[in-house]
Amino acid sequence: MRMKLGDWFRVVQLLKTGGGAGHDALLEKAWNAIGDYYADRQKWQNAVSYYLQGRNQERLAHCYYNGLENLVLSLPENSPLLGTIGGMFVTVGMCEQAVLAYVKLERDVTRLKHEVEVRNKENERGEE
């Protein structure tokens, strides 16, 4: 009943108190649903803890990258960490986020565009 209502917090509580032995798949589903709840509200740290318990690597990666985007916004201009994070974004093809980091780093935008174009061409060749 609680699952149909989407009350995943209560589902976890019931599984834990009721000796949830043999309900591992259901518990993972509940953890992931709670992670979704927090991710929908952009509470990435909370979502991460539930996705870890639900063993959901795909959603974890999404949370981590959203966390990096927020970190870029909070870092001071010209922080060396901006270049590192910008490189991470370029590596996975998140070009808009990379540009934001590099612009905040006040890096040469022409050079950045070239790096992004090269990376995109490499990714396109790898997909073929």
Side-chain angles (χ1 to χ4, degrees):
M1 169 97 170
R2 292 290 176 176
M3 286 186 345
K4 289 182 182 179
L5 293 173
D7 187 1
W8 296 104
F9 293 95
R10 183 73 174 132
V11 169
V12 167
Q13 186 180 28
L14 290 170
L15 287 172
K16 285 188 165 197
T17 59
H23 295 289
D24 291 340
L26 183 56
L27 197 54
E28 279 187 23
K29 182 177 180 180
W31 291 132
N32 286 316
I34 295 171
D36 291 343
Y37 169 84
Y38 285 115
D40 289 344
R41 287 155 183 79
Q42 297 185 0
K43 296 184 183 273
W44 305 116
Q45 289 180 322
N46 292 344
V48 163
S49 68
Y50 288 100
Y51 289 144
L52 282 169
Q53 292 176 78
R55 297 184 183 106
N56 194 327
Q57 283 78 26
E58 182 179 334
R59 291 183 185 151
L60 269 171
H62 181 73
C63 288
Y64 288 140
Y65 273 99
N66 278 300
L68 282 177
E69 285 182 68
N70 292 337
L71 180 59
V72 165
L73 296 174
S74 69
L75 286 171
E77 288 188 11
N78 293 318
S79 168
L81 190 53
L82 289 166
T84 303
I85 295 171
M88 292 172 159
F89 285 138
V90 168
T91 301
V92 295
M94 297 176 73
C95 300
E96 289 178 31
Q97 294 84 351
V99 168
L100 177 65
Y102 287 135
V103 166
K104 195 166 182 183
L105 183 60
E106 296 183 2
R107 210 169 138 183
D108 182 6
V109 177
T110 305
R111 181 174 163 207
L112 169 66
K113 286 180 183 178
H114 176 71
E115 288 178 21
V116 170
E117 287 173 8
V118 168
R119 180 68 63 181
N120 283 338
K121 287 178 183 175
E122 288 174 1
N123 289 340
E124 286 173 7
R125 278 189 237 130
E127 291 176 2
E128 291 176 0

